[in-house]
Amino acid sequence: MFSSEPRNGDDPAFTVRYTSTAIVLHWLIAFVVISQIVLGWLMQEIPKVPVGPRVNAYNLHKSIGLTVLMLMALRLAWRATHAPPPPVAMPAWQVRAAWVSHWLLYACLFVQPLSGYLGSAFSGYPVRYFGLVLPAWAATSPTLKQVFENVHLVTSVVLVAAIALHVAAAFKHHLIDRDGLLYRMRWRRAR
């Protein structure tokens, strides 16, 4: 009943795949974002001291976040110039739900690093990118810092929920529908 083998080996899902670039960006961003979520929650448990592991963890988190922002800009540019494969056969409401959830993920993956960066920019502390101090352009503003921290926190919850929905839908297509959808984002073609 829950076989991961497709029902039909000639299913177009096997021949119509995402581009190699889209696949690499998808899995690279997925790995980095999951790591970033774990780091983001764990670093809050590190004791606050002026210099030390907590500061280092926050600077690493910010650097990785800015990297995610750059990867997402690349991914959006790729998506704008390379159409995704057509959806597999499924009810229209699932096609709409998939479209909404994908664009929610895109939105969160832009808002999350931007809000983190802006919160840092208005904090009065230098923003570092893997040790390189970025130019300061914003005046210290505790109010704006708090606004962007709140956006960052709320977006983190929405992002985790969107990722969970995305993964659940992928497993549903793979294990229940057996429609080959998951193979379209696989590293290698299914045989």
Side-chain angles (χ1 to χ4, degrees), residues 37-58:
I37 291 167
V38 171
L39 176 60
W41 288 105
L42 289 178
M43 70 187 192
Q44 296 176 50
E45 302 300 320
I46 302 171
K48 289 184 182 182
V49 291
V51 178
R54 185 178 172 104
V55 172
N56 294 338
Y58 270 79

PDB file of all heavy atoms in Angstrom, residues 37-58:
ATOM      1  N   ILE A  37      17.759  27.137  11.070  1.00  0.00           N
ATOM      2  CA  ILE A  37      16.664  27.077  12.045  1.00  0.00           C
ATOM      3  C   ILE A  37      17.168  26.465  13.347  1.00  0.00           C
ATOM      4  O   ILE A  37      16.908  26.994  14.435  1.00  0.00           O
ATOM      5  CB  ILE A  37      15.453  26.300  11.476  1.00  0.00           C
ATOM      6  CG1 ILE A  37      14.788  27.101  10.359  1.00  0.00           C
ATOM      7  CG2 ILE A  37      14.444  25.975  12.582  1.00  0.00           C
ATOM      8  CD1 ILE A  37      13.799  26.308   9.532  1.00  0.00           C
ATOM      9  N   VAL A  38      17.894  25.368  13.234  1.00  0.00           N
ATOM     10  CA  VAL A  38      18.443  24.715  14.431  1.00  0.00           C
ATOM     11  C   VAL A  38      19.388  25.667  15.164  1.00  0.00           C
ATOM     12  O   VAL A  38      19.280  25.860  16.378  1.00  0.00           O
ATOM     13  CB  VAL A  38      19.147  23.393  14.056  1.00  0.00           C
ATOM     14  CG1 VAL A  38      19.900  22.824  15.244  1.00  0.00           C
ATOM     15  CG2 VAL A  38      18.139  22.385  13.521  1.00  0.00           C
ATOM     16  N   LEU A  39      20.302  26.287  14.428  1.00  0.00           N
ATOM     17  CA  LEU A  39      21.236  27.235  15.043  1.00  0.00           C
ATOM     18  C   LEU A  39      20.485  28.399  15.681  1.00  0.00           C
ATOM     19  O   LEU A  39      20.806  28.826  16.798  1.00  0.00           O
ATOM     20  CB  LEU A  39      22.242  27.743  14.005  1.00  0.00           C
ATOM     21  CG  LEU A  39      23.226  28.827  14.475  1.00  0.00           C
ATOM     22  CD1 LEU A  39      24.090  28.325  15.629  1.00  0.00           C
ATOM     23  CD2 LEU A  39      24.100  29.298  13.314  1.00  0.00           C
ATOM     24  N   GLY A  40      19.475  28.916  14.978  1.00  0.00           N
ATOM     25  CA  GLY A  40      18.704  30.055  15.491  1.00  0.00           C
ATOM     26  C   GLY A  40      18.044  29.774  16.824  1.00  0.00           C
ATOM     27  O   GLY A  40      18.007  30.643  17.710  1.00  0.00           O
ATOM     28  N   TRP A  41      17.518  28.586  16.989  1.00  0.00           N
ATOM     29  CA  TRP A  41      16.868  28.246  18.259  1.00  0.00           C
ATOM     30  C   TRP A  41      17.893  27.872  19.327  1.00  0.00           C
ATOM     31  O   TRP A  41      17.748  28.255  20.488  1.00  0.00           O
ATOM     32  CB  TRP A  41      15.843  27.134  18.058  1.00  0.00           C
ATOM     33  CG  TRP A  41      14.640  27.656  17.339  1.00  0.00           C
ATOM     34  CD1 TRP A  41      14.322  27.441  16.030  1.00  0.00           C
ATOM     35  CD2 TRP A  41      13.627  28.524  17.848  1.00  0.00           C
ATOM     36  NE1 TRP A  41      13.186  28.112  15.692  1.00  0.00           N
ATOM     37  CE2 TRP A  41      12.724  28.789  16.794  1.00  0.00           C
ATOM     38  CE3 TRP A  41      13.390  29.115  19.083  1.00  0.00           C
ATOM     39  CZ2 TRP A  41      11.615  29.606  16.942  1.00  0.00           C
ATOM     40  CZ3 TRP A  41      12.277  29.932  19.232  1.00  0.00           C
ATOM     41  CH2 TRP A  41      11.406  30.166  18.166  1.00  0.00           C
ATOM     42  N   LEU A  42      18.950  27.159  18.968  1.00  0.00           N
ATOM     43  CA  LEU A  42      19.955  26.749  19.952  1.00  0.00           C
ATOM     44  C   LEU A  42      20.765  27.928  20.487  1.00  0.00           C
ATOM     45  O   LEU A  42      21.109  27.961  21.666  1.00  0.00           O
ATOM     46  CB  LEU A  42      20.902  25.709  19.352  1.00  0.00           C
ATOM     47  CG  LEU A  42      20.328  24.326  19.097  1.00  0.00           C
ATOM     48  CD1 LEU A  42      21.375  23.431  18.454  1.00  0.00           C
ATOM     49  CD2 LEU A  42      19.799  23.702  20.384  1.00  0.00           C
ATOM     50  N   MET A  43      21.071  28.897  19.642  1.00  0.00           N
ATOM     51  CA  MET A  43      21.936  29.991  20.079  1.00  0.00           C
ATOM     52  C   MET A  43      21.290  30.869  21.144  1.00  0.00           C
ATOM     53  O   MET A  43      21.982  31.548  21.887  1.00  0.00           O
ATOM     54  CB  MET A  43      22.400  30.834  18.893  1.00  0.00           C
ATOM     55  CG  MET A  43      21.344  31.659  18.252  1.00  0.00           C
ATOM     56  SD  MET A  43      22.021  32.404  16.757  1.00  0.00           S
ATOM     57  CE  MET A  43      20.715  33.589  16.427  1.00  0.00           C
ATOM     58  N   GLN A  44      19.977  30.807  21.235  1.00  0.00           N
ATOM     59  CA  GLN A  44      19.294  31.602  22.260  1.00  0.00           C
ATOM     60  C   GLN A  44      19.543  31.053  23.660  1.00  0.00           C
ATOM     61  O   GLN A  44      19.338  31.758  24.644  1.00  0.00           O
ATOM     62  CB  GLN A  44      17.803  31.646  21.962  1.00  0.00           C
ATOM     63  CG  GLN A  44      17.513  32.354  20.659  1.00  0.00           C
ATOM     64  CD  GLN A  44      16.061  32.332  20.306  1.00  0.00           C
ATOM     65  OE1 GLN A  44      15.227  32.664  21.138  1.00  0.00           O
ATOM     66  NE2 GLN A  44      15.747  31.945  19.091  1.00  0.00           N
ATOM     67  N   GLU A  45      19.994  29.806  23.746  1.00  0.00           N
ATOM     68  CA  GLU A  45      20.276  29.189  25.037  1.00  0.00           C
ATOM     69  C   GLU A  45      21.686  29.489  25.543  1.00  0.00           C
ATOM     70  O   GLU A  45      22.015  29.185  26.680  1.00  0.00           O
ATOM     71  CB  GLU A  45      20.080  27.668  24.945  1.00  0.00           C
ATOM     72  CG  GLU A  45      18.685  27.255  24.507  1.00  0.00           C
ATOM     73  CD  GLU A  45      17.589  27.749  25.445  1.00  0.00           C
ATOM     74  OE1 GLU A  45      17.789  27.718  26.672  1.00  0.00           O
ATOM     75  OE2 GLU A  45      16.544  28.179  24.928  1.00  0.00           O
ATOM     76  N   ILE A  46      22.523  30.073  24.688  1.00  0.00           N
ATOM     77  CA  ILE A  46      23.889  30.398  25.089  1.00  0.00           C
ATOM     78  C   ILE A  46      23.838  31.616  26.015  1.00  0.00           C
ATOM     79  O   ILE A  46      23.184  32.607  25.700  1.00  0.00           O
ATOM     80  CB  ILE A  46      24.776  30.686  23.851  1.00  0.00           C
ATOM     81  CG1 ILE A  46      24.788  29.481  22.911  1.00  0.00           C
ATOM     82  CG2 ILE A  46      26.195  31.057  24.284  1.00  0.00           C
ATOM     83  CD1 ILE A  46      25.455  29.751  21.570  1.00  0.00           C
ATOM     84  N   PRO A  47      24.523  31.567  27.159  1.00  0.00           N
ATOM     85  CA  PRO A  47      24.498  32.705  28.094  1.00  0.00           C
ATOM     86  C   PRO A  47      24.987  33.996  27.446  1.00  0.00           C
ATOM     87  O   PRO A  47      25.905  33.986  26.620  1.00  0.00           O
ATOM     88  CB  PRO A  47      25.448  32.276  29.226  1.00  0.00           C
ATOM     89  CG  PRO A  47      25.566  30.804  29.097  1.00  0.00           C
ATOM     90  CD  PRO A  47      25.335  30.467  27.653  1.00  0.00           C
ATOM     91  N   LYS A  48      24.356  35.110  27.822  1.00  0.00           N
ATOM     92  CA  LYS A  48      24.735  36.423  27.295  1.00  0.00           C
ATOM     93  C   LYS A  48      25.974  36.940  28.017  1.00  0.00           C
ATOM     94  O   LYS A  48      25.967  37.107  29.219  1.00  0.00           O
ATOM     95  CB  LYS A  48      23.592  37.425  27.486  1.00  0.00           C
ATOM     96  CG  LYS A  48      22.406  37.188  26.605  1.00  0.00           C
ATOM     97  CD  LYS A  48      21.376  38.285  26.787  1.00  0.00           C
ATOM     98  CE  LYS A  48      20.163  38.021  25.924  1.00  0.00           C
ATOM     99  NZ  LYS A  48      19.163  39.073  26.019  1.00  0.00           N
ATOM    100  N   VAL A  49      27.013  37.144  27.228  1.00  0.00           N
ATOM    101  CA  VAL A  49      28.224  37.807  27.716  1.00  0.00           C
ATOM    102  C   VAL A  49      28.696  38.702  26.571  1.00  0.00           C
ATOM    103  O   VAL A  49      28.395  38.436  25.409  1.00  0.00           O
ATOM    104  CB  VAL A  49      29.337  36.802  28.109  1.00  0.00           C
ATOM    105  CG1 VAL A  49      28.956  36.026  29.357  1.00  0.00           C
ATOM    106  CG2 VAL A  49      29.658  35.853  26.985  1.00  0.00           C
ATOM    107  N   PRO A  50      29.418  39.797  26.877  1.00  0.00           N
ATOM    108  CA  PRO A  50      29.809  40.748  25.823  1.00  0.00           C
ATOM    109  C   PRO A  50      30.588  40.117  24.670  1.00  0.00           C
ATOM    110  O   PRO A  50      30.410  40.472  23.529  1.00  0.00           O
ATOM    111  CB  PRO A  50      30.662  41.779  26.560  1.00  0.00           C
ATOM    112  CG  PRO A  50      30.260  41.666  27.987  1.00  0.00           C
ATOM    113  CD  PRO A  50      29.828  40.247  28.201  1.00  0.00           C
ATOM    114  N   VAL A  51      31.479  39.179  24.968  1.00  0.00           N
ATOM    115  CA  VAL A  51      32.267  38.523  23.924  1.00  0.00           C
ATOM    116  C   VAL A  51      32.240  37.024  24.218  1.00  0.00           C
ATOM    117  O   VAL A  51      32.252  36.619  25.372  1.00  0.00           O
ATOM    118  CB  VAL A  51      33.730  39.024  23.942  1.00  0.00           C
ATOM    119  CG1 VAL A  51      34.552  38.308  22.882  1.00  0.00           C
ATOM    120  CG2 VAL A  51      33.793  40.526  23.743  1.00  0.00           C
ATOM    121  N   GLY A  52      32.166  36.229  23.180  1.00  0.00           N
ATOM    122  CA  GLY A  52      32.196  34.793  23.420  1.00  0.00           C
ATOM    123  C   GLY A  52      31.318  34.013  22.484  1.00  0.00           C
ATOM    124  O   GLY A  52      30.961  34.480  21.400  1.00  0.00           O
ATOM    125  N   PRO A  53      30.934  32.809  22.908  1.00  0.00           N
ATOM    126  CA  PRO A  53      30.218  31.887  22.019  1.00  0.00           C
ATOM    127  C   PRO A  53      28.885  32.436  21.501  1.00  0.00           C
ATOM    128  O   PRO A  53      28.530  32.171  20.361  1.00  0.00           O
ATOM    129  CB  PRO A  53      29.987  30.650  22.889  1.00  0.00           C
ATOM    130  CG  PRO A  53      30.893  30.775  24.049  1.00  0.00           C
ATOM    131  CD  PRO A  53      31.229  32.226  24.203  1.00  0.00           C
ATOM    132  N   ARG A  54      28.149  33.167  22.328  1.00  0.00           N
ATOM    133  CA  ARG A  54      26.849  33.686  21.879  1.00  0.00           C
ATOM    134  C   ARG A  54      27.036  34.698  20.751  1.00  0.00           C
ATOM    135  O   ARG A  54      26.339  34.642  19.733  1.00  0.00           O
ATOM    136  CB  ARG A  54      26.090  34.303  23.048  1.00  0.00           C
ATOM    137  CG  ARG A  54      24.687  34.755  22.652  1.00  0.00           C
ATOM    138  CD  ARG A  54      23.939  35.309  23.862  1.00  0.00           C
ATOM    139  NE  ARG A  54      22.679  35.911  23.496  1.00  0.00           N
ATOM    140  CZ  ARG A  54      21.506  35.350  23.691  1.00  0.00           C
ATOM    141  NH1 ARG A  54      21.418  34.162  24.244  1.00  0.00           N
ATOM    142  NH2 ARG A  54      20.396  35.966  23.331  1.00  0.00           N
ATOM    143  N   VAL A  55      27.985  35.618  20.915  1.00  0.00           N
ATOM    144  CA  VAL A  55      28.254  36.612  19.872  1.00  0.00           C
ATOM    145  C   VAL A  55      28.705  35.904  18.598  1.00  0.00           C
ATOM    146  O   VAL A  55      28.254  36.240  17.500  1.00  0.00           O
ATOM    147  CB  VAL A  55      29.306  37.640  20.355  1.00  0.00           C
ATOM    148  CG1 VAL A  55      29.741  38.554  19.211  1.00  0.00           C
ATOM    149  CG2 VAL A  55      28.766  38.452  21.520  1.00  0.00           C
ATOM    150  N   ASN A  56      29.586  34.928  18.748  1.00  0.00           N
ATOM    151  CA  ASN A  56      30.064  34.177  17.582  1.00  0.00           C
ATOM    152  C   ASN A  56      28.918  33.440  16.891  1.00  0.00           C
ATOM    153  O   ASN A  56      28.842  33.398  15.659  1.00  0.00           O
ATOM    154  CB  ASN A  56      31.156  33.189  17.989  1.00  0.00           C
ATOM    155  CG  ASN A  56      32.406  33.888  18.475  1.00  0.00           C
ATOM    156  OD1 ASN A  56      32.647  35.053  18.155  1.00  0.00           O
ATOM    157  ND2 ASN A  56      33.205  33.190  19.265  1.00  0.00           N
ATOM    158  N   ALA A  57      28.026  32.833  17.676  1.00  0.00           N
ATOM    159  CA  ALA A  57      26.892  32.113  17.100  1.00  0.00           C
ATOM    160  C   ALA A  57      25.968  33.077  16.354  1.00  0.00           C
ATOM    161  O   ALA A  57      25.495  32.769  15.257  1.00  0.00           O
ATOM    162  CB  ALA A  57      26.127  31.369  18.195  1.00  0.00           C
ATOM    163  N   TYR A  58      25.701  34.242  16.932  1.00  0.00           N
ATOM    164  CA  TYR A  58      24.841  35.228  16.269  1.00  0.00           C
ATOM    165  C   TYR A  58      25.484  35.731  14.980  1.00  0.00           C
ATOM    166  O   TYR A  58      24.802  35.890  13.962  1.00  0.00           O
ATOM    167  CB  TYR A  58      24.514  36.391  17.208  1.00  0.00           C
ATOM    168  CG  TYR A  58      23.269  36.158  18.022  1.00  0.00           C
ATOM    169  CD1 TYR A  58      23.283  35.340  19.146  1.00  0.00           C
ATOM    170  CD2 TYR A  58      22.056  36.722  17.650  1.00  0.00           C
ATOM    171  CE1 TYR A  58      22.141  35.110  19.884  1.00  0.00           C
ATOM    172  CE2 TYR A  58      20.903  36.498  18.386  1.00  0.00           C
ATOM    173  CZ  TYR A  58      20.952  35.693  19.496  1.00  0.00           C
ATOM    174  OH  TYR A  58      19.802  35.465  20.225  1.00  0.00           O
TER     175      TYR A  58
END
